[in-house]
Structure formats: C-alpha cells, structure tokens
C-alpha cells in the first residue's frame, strides 16, 4: 500500500456482472439491477444476505420519469433493510458509484458492498435530448433552443483547431472502439466500419457526425467490493482499488479550457497520488477512458497524462491504443461500441478493468501482461472527472 | 426590464415496458384475476408480483391467484389537485390479500365503492369489480373499484 491517506481498510473488487446493453430492454429498471447484481454476487461467491450495504448510481430521474428513483428501485438492488446510498454526478456517476462503494469499505463502515449502476434511457420519448435541454441556464442559454450536443461540437472544434487535428484521426477512435465491441457479448453497437464511413455519416451538430457519437441505451452493471481480510477468504486473486479521484471544473462551460479537460487533470492527479503513480504513461498498463464521443477518448487520454497535449491522435494513428498496442485504450469497446446507458456505462468501464486484470476478458483480453488499469468517466454539466485505479 | 423568466417545461412522454414480473400481473387483470408472486425459498407471497424476491434474490417461478381480499385501511379524498372541492368524495382503500388463507405481503391501493358507510369496517372482505372483458387492457384501471362483500 502506497496510499497517502489513512484508511481503515484496503478495498478489493471480488465480483462483477452486467446485463446486455440495448436500445430498449424489456425488463424494468429494478429487474435490470437485479440481473446485474445477481451475476456479480455469483461471481463473488456470495448471496445478497452477505451484503452489508448497497450503493446505487443512475443519471437524472427524468430518464425514468420517476422522482426519488433510487428509492423506487431499491428492491432490485437488494437494499431492503440495509444502508442504501445513491450518488449522482451526471455522466460521471458510474465511476463515482464505484468510488462511493470504495469509501464505504475503506472507512470501515461496511464490510461487503454491492455497487450497482443502472440506466434506462428508452423510457423517455421522443428522445432523451428533451431531458438534457433542461441542464442549461434559463436566462442566457435555454431561450436559444440548445441541446446537449452543441457543447460537445464546440469543444471538439476547439480541440481540433488548437492542435491542428484532422477529423480522419478522430474517426479512428470510433473505428477502433466499435471493432473492439464485436468481441463483447453484451455490446450494442459492435461493428466493422472504416474512417470513410464515419466521415460520410450524417452531420448532427457540426463537426459531430452520427458515427462520432455513442447510442441511447438501457443496461445495468454491478460490482462487489470488500475489505482485505474478506477478499482473501473469497479469492486468491483479489483486484485492489488503489486510487480514486474526482474533481469539478467551473459551472460555466464558457469559462473552461475546452482544448484540455482540466477537471480530469486534477481528478487523475488525486488518484495517481493515492496509488503512488508518478509517471502515468509508463505505470498505467491500459485504460478505460470515457468515450461518449470519439474525440473525448483523445481529450481524456491527455487529461489523464496518458498522452501529451495534442499527442493522443498520433498515438491512436500509430496503433498504440489498440488491444495489442503498448497502451490499450477502451479494450471493451467503450461507450461508442458497447453502448451508453449513462451510469451503467461508467461502471461497465470499472468492470472491464476488473475482468482484464483477472485475465477474464475472453476475446477482449489485451495482449500485454497487465497489472494496473484505470477507469474514468465525465459528467455533471460536462465539468466533473471521476477516476479509479485498480491493481492485481 | 424583465425581472423573471418563465419557461414551460415540455414534459416528455414516457413508455414503460411491463417487465418480467408485471407481465403475470397484467395477464391476470385481463382475465379478471389477481396474482401474487410466491417465493419458494422464503415461503412468502407478494403483491404486486415481482420477477424476483427482494429478500433472497431468487427468481420467482410461481404466481398464485389470490383467493381473498380485505380492507386494511381507507382514506377519503375531498379536494382535487388544485385544492377545490370534489363533486363527490372518493374513497381509497388499502386492500390486502390472501392465497388459500395464507397472508400476502403488500397489497394494492384502489378505489372503493361504498353503498352503506356503516359496513366500512377495517378488515371487512372486499371484491374487485372488473371492467367488461372487451374493455380490459391489462392495466390497473381494468379494476373499476372494490366493493364490500
């Protein structure tokens, strides 16, 4: 342990499970939670009765149209008569729910925690963009009829302009992640596409095109965390959570450095310090970075210091971020390929780090031997970074 | 100068799937019947029926038709959403169920039609009155109301 803070317990992940990610699933939200949780418990060799407390993550209640959604779905999380917490930091929720699960155990408050993230975006009609419209400032922005994608479009434009990045190089991320997802049994959008396909797909909000963007999805993911003593009873190969970090940038997107994700730079620094990592590019073996858009994978690699500013597209072009590359990025297929049920997508990334470190990723297993992996998400009003670092 | 900004929030529409547990409940309503979920591990009946047991997390494999309904609690609604008097007060009952004299956990809240208020006693047996078969859609409003037996 090289942590810089006093912790009561070292925390391990001992089980993971997930449902299919699909555009519309027949199961209700709580049924999806139950399916993912059951899998994670079976993986850990535990039953719901062994769980002390439950942490739940989901995006805005408006997706489900049920206020106090976490309480309405508590049965599916097995939370009956248990301490139960919902955490919410927008798109960053998936990784943040894992962070919250970690502190429940690290503090000594609970011994075995079930962490569940679930999202059903399919309930809201005609499109979840109607919900996103209401994150904007009612005085200066809402009257203009904005939607969520335009922030990303402006950010993508800034990133391309500042580092002279071509759309062709950004499209390579989409090509890679959708191809990686072909090997993921739960994936929604695994496919073989070319750079030309991305460049020829319809323009949504310039420069964002259809194949630059992740889909609307339903799905749930669950993990089981426990303390060191219990982890060693359950398995010979616990996967340790060695660093966590989160950070918030200004609430005004106009005041952010759009070419560089400052929120993530600080969140990463916090996690690296805790995990005793001095040179992320050398010490992180692979990463699941948040990729709701293809340019965001590049943006986030740079924010995490896994590439120098403006260098991520070059590493991508050179094949460094492929599964058999020196620094595999999003071997799962990411949000672009596996799907984007918001909170569940973030926790899927943590689950992928767990499966890769366990050597249980099947056809998705990265070629090199991996010891340290990182998962990251991004959210709130596009200004929060959430990071978790795991080791075997 | 404008000192306040008013926006109408365009409330989106929602579509919910019935799900695995709800399917059995909806099928029952269409037939004019009410089903409870039975967890074989916990030996427990549950209403409304779910797909899984919230206690032991096992999958529900058995759904049983309820054989008895009774009034557990009631309340009387006098005002509408805006605080105006209703033309007629509405009685809502909390209805509990039994399967072959075994208690069912939970229950349903539904309208109660009462002709004789002196019969409105806690614990009294009630029966669901369903809409005509051709009008039933597999939703909770397939039950028009409950009546005291």
């Amino acid at each position: 342990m090289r942590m810089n803070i006093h912790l009561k317990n070292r925390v391990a992940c001992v089980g993971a499970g997930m449902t299919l990610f699909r555009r519309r699933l027949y199961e209700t939200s709580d049924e999806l939670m139950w399916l993912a949780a059951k899998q994670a418990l079976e993986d850990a060799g535990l039953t719901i009765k062994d769980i002390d407390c439950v942490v739940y993550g989901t995006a805005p209640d408006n997706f489900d149209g049920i206020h106090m959604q976490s309480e309405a779905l508590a049965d599916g999380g097995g939370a009956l008569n248990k301490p139960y917490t919902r955490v919410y930091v927008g798109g960053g929720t998936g990784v943040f729910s894992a962070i919250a699960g970690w502190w429940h155990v690290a503090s000594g408050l609970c011994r075995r925690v079930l962490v569940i993230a679930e999202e059903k975006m399919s309930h809201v009609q005609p499109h979840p963009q109607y919900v996103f419209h209401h994150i904007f400032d009612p005085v200066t922005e809402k009257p203009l009829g904005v939607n969520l994608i335009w922030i990303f479009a402006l950010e993508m434009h800034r990133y391309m302009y500042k580092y002279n990045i071509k759309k062709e190089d950004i499209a390579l991320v989409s090509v890679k992640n959708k191809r990686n997802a072909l090997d993921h049994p739960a994936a929604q959008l695994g496919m073989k596409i070319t750079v030309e396909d991305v460049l020829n797909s319809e323009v949504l909000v310039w420069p964002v095109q259809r194949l630059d963007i992740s889909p609307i999805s339903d799905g749930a993911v669950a993990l089981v965390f426990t303390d060191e003593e219990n982890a060693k009873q359950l398995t010979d190969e616990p996967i340790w959570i060695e660093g966590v970090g989160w950070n918030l940038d200004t609430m005004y997107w106009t005041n952010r450095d759009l070419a560089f994700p400052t929120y993530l730079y600080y969140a990463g620094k916090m996690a690296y310090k805790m995990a005793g990592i001095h040179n992320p590019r050398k010490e992180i073996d692979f990463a699941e970075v948040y990729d709701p858009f293809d340019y965001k994978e590049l943006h986030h690699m740079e924010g995490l210091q896994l590439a120098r500013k403006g260098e991520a597209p070059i590493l991508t072009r050179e094949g460094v971020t492929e599964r058999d590359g020196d620094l595999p990025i999003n071997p799962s297929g990411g949000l672009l390929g596996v799907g984007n049920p918001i909170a569940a997508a973030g926790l899927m990334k943590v689950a992928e780090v767990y499966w890769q470190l366990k050597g249980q990723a099947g056809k998705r297993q990265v070629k090199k031997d991996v010891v340290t992996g990182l998962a990251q998400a991004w959210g709130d009003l596009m200004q929060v970074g959430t990071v978790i670092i795991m080791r075997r | 100068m404008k000192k306040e900004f008013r926006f109408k929030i365009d409330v989106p529409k929602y579509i919910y799937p019935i799900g695995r547990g709800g399917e059995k409940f909806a099928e029952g309503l269409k037939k004019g019947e009410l089903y409870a979920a039975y967890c074989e591990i916990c030996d427990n009946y549950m209403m409304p029926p779910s797909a899984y047991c919230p206690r032991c997390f096992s999958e529900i494999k058995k759904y049983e038709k309820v054989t008895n309904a009774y009034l557990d609690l009631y309340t009387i609604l006098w005002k509408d959403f805006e605080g105006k008097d209703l033309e007629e007060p509405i009685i809502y009952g909390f209805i509990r169920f039994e399967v072959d004299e075994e208690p069912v956990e939970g229950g349903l809240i539904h309208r109660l039609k009462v002709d004789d208020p002196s019969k409105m006693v806690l614990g009294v047996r009630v029966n669901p009155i369903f809409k005509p078969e051709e009008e039933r859609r597999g939703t909770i409003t397939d039950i028009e109301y409950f009546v005291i037996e």
Side-chain angles (χ1 to χ4, degrees):
Chain A
M1 285 250 292
R2 283 174 282 170
M3 289 191 182
N4 56 321
I5 55 169
H6 173 73
L7 300 172
K8 178 108 170 117
N9 290 317
R10 193 182 187 195
V11 185
C13 181
V14 292
M18 72 182 283
T19 66
L20 295 177
F21 281 8
R22 289 291 181 270
R23 174 68 179 81
R24 174 171 289 123
L25 285 169
Y26 180 67
E27 286 78 10
T28 59
S29 303
D30 63 313
E31 286 171 358
L32 290 183
M33 289 167 71
W34 165 66
L35 288 169
K38 220 166 127 65
Q39 253 189 55
L41 289 166
E42 275 163 24
D43 187 30
L46 296 171
T47 72
I48 192 65
K49 289 181 181 170
D50 300 315
I51 295 296
D52 299 332
C53 61
V54 180
V55 173
Y56 171 60
T58 189
D61 288 355
N62 271 357
F63 281 148
D64 259 347
I66 302 167
H67 288 288
M68 308 307 289
Q69 178 179 331
S70 59
E71 288 70 20
L73 304 176
D75 275 4
L80 188 66
N81 298 131
K82 291 189 171 84
Y84 179 57
T85 310
R86 175 192 186 177
V87 290
Y88 175 52
V89 287
T93 300
V95 171
F96 197 68
S97 52
I99 293 173
W102 168 84
W103 78 52
H104 275 70
V105 178
S107 63
L109 192 65
C110 302
R111 190 141 198 231
R112 299 187 201 94
V113 177
L114 180 62
V115 178
I116 308 177
E118 168 274 339
E119 209 76 64
K120 284 207 88 173
M121 297 175 81
S122 66
H123 288 158
V124 63
Q125 300 291 315
H127 197 283
Q129 281 299 338
Y130 281 77
V131 172
F132 288 131
H133 179 57
H134 301 292
I135 70 168
F136 290 98
D137 188 284
V139 176
T140 59
E141 290 170 335
K142 244 185 194 181
L144 302 172
V146 292
N147 70 32
L148 193 64
I149 304 175
W150 74 246
I151 289 191
F152 307 133
L154 291 169
E155 194 179 63
M156 184 169 174
H157 191 191
R158 162 67 68 205
Y159 181 59
M160 290 167 70
Y161 181 79
K162 179 148 183 185
Y163 299 116
N164 194 22
I165 296 164
K166 291 198 188 78
K167 194 83 207 287
E168 285 85 337
D169 286 338
I170 292 177
L172 282 170
V173 173
S174 190
V175 172
K176 166 179 71 75
N177 290 4
K178 287 180 188 294
R179 189 181 56 232
N180 282 353
L182 282 169
D183 295 327
H184 199 306
Q188 180 179 349
L189 274 184
M191 58 175 101
K192 217 173 164 185
I193 54 165
T194 63
V195 168
E196 284 67 40
D197 292 332
V198 181
L199 298 180
N200 292 332
S201 63
E202 63 180 317
V203 179
L204 301 178
V205 184
W206 185 86
V208 175
Q209 290 173 271
R210 174 69 68 192
L211 290 174
D212 291 319
I213 192 168
S214 56
I216 295 162
S217 316
D218 289 356
V221 177
L223 299 174
V224 179
F225 290 174
T226 184
D227 62 21
E228 185 164 6
E229 189 191 340
N230 193 234
K232 285 179 174 167
Q233 288 164 0
L234 288 168
T235 173
D236 295 334
E237 302 169 317
I239 302 302
W240 304 105
I241 296 161
E242 300 255 294
V244 298
W246 66 102
N247 197 280
L248 196 73
D249 205 338
T250 162
M251 64 186 271
Y252 301 103
W253 70 268
T254 48
N255 300 14
R256 294 173 209 150
D257 179 347
L258 297 177
F260 182 74
T262 311
Y263 53 86
L264 186 54
Y265 174 72
Y266 288 119
K269 265 182 84 156
M270 178 178 166
Y272 292 142
K273 191 176 174 195
M274 198 182 287
I277 288 173
H278 304 287
N279 184 344
R281 175 67 183 85
K282 286 214 167 105
E283 293 175 66
I284 298 292
D285 296 323
F286 71 103
E288 281 283 326
V289 306
Y290 205 62
D291 62 324
F293 296 79
D294 42 14
Y295 82 95
K296 272 320 269 194
E297 173 171 313
L298 307 169
H299 217 225
H300 285 152
M301 280 172 66
E302 293 170 17
L304 284 164
Q305 304 176 61
L306 297 175
R308 286 190 299 275
K309 289 181 182 179
E311 190 198 22
I314 300 165
L315 297 182
T316 305
R317 202 191 313 140
E318 290 172 351
V320 173
T321 61
E322 298 281 346
R323 261 192 212 135
D324 58 359
D326 184 48
L327 178 64
I329 300 289
N330 291 330
S332 67
L335 277 49
L336 288 162
V338 186
N340 189 7
I342 305 194
L347 199 60
M348 177 276 286
K349 288 185 169 291
V350 185
E352 181 70 12
V353 173
Y354 168 79
W355 284 317
Q356 290 283 350
L357 291 175
K358 278 276 227 189
Q360 290 178 349
K363 282 163 78 182
R364 304 189 309 286
Q365 192 66 43
V366 298
K367 201 172 171 190
K368 66 188 240 189
D369 184 40
V370 286
V371 176
T372 308
L374 179 150
Q376 171 256 323
W378 164 61
D380 275 344
L381 303 173
M382 274 51 75
Q383 91 269 43
V384 78
T386 52
V387 177
I388 193 162
I389 296 168
M390 294 158 91
R391 278 202 191 99
R392 71 175 157 82
Chain B
M1 189 179 71
K2 264 190 115 168
K3 292 207 171 176
E4 60 178 33
F5 294 83
R6 293 188 181 197
F7 289 100
K8 190 173 149 266
I9 290 190
D10 304 316
V11 179
K13 286 185 203 148
Y14 290 91
I15 297 177
Y16 298 105
I18 190 112
R20 297 187 187 186
E23 195 176 273
K24 196 73 197 171
F25 188 56
E27 277 170 15
L29 288 167
K30 277 205 90 166
K31 286 190 284 182
E33 291 167 348
L34 285 166
Y35 282 87
Y38 178 63
C39 173
E40 291 169 309
I41 313 260
C42 302
D43 185 23
N44 189 31
Y45 292 97
M46 288 166 284
M47 175 68 90
S50 63
Y52 58 89
C53 171
R55 287 198 174 70
C56 72
F57 252 29
S58 61
E59 189 180 348
I60 298 294
K61 302 216 169 93
K62 220 167 148 186
Y63 294 89
E64 294 282 347
K65 200 174 136 184
V66 303
T67 51
N68 184 21
Y70 63 94
L71 181 65
D72 197 47
L73 289 167
Y74 63 83
T75 186
I76 305 167
L77 223 75
W78 292 92
K79 305 272 186 187
D80 69 8
F81 268 89
E82 291 167 22
K84 292 184 197 128
D85 286 340
L86 289 169
E87 278 179 35
E88 287 257 335
I90 304 167
I91 307 171
Y92 280 99
F94 173 36
I95 317 294
R96 283 194 188 268
F97 302 92
E98 287 174 345
V99 174
D100 300 327
E101 298 186 358
E102 290 287 326
V104 174
E105 184 184 356
L108 295 175
I109 291 168
H110 218 290
R111 288 178 182 227
L112 199 66
K113 194 169 178 245
V114 180
D115 297 326
D116 177 1
S118 72
K119 283 189 182 169
M120 215 160 69
V121 181
L122 299 189
V124 69
R125 272 181 79 122
V126 293
N127 285 318
I129 302 299
F130 283 88
K131 284 179 180 165
E133 201 172 341
E134 61 277 11
E135 289 176 31
R136 290 181 212 148
R137 294 166 53 237
T139 68
I140 191 70
T141 49
D142 286 355
I143 304 173
E144 286 193 273
Y145 43 77
F146 281 76
V147 291
I148 294 167
E149 196 172 277

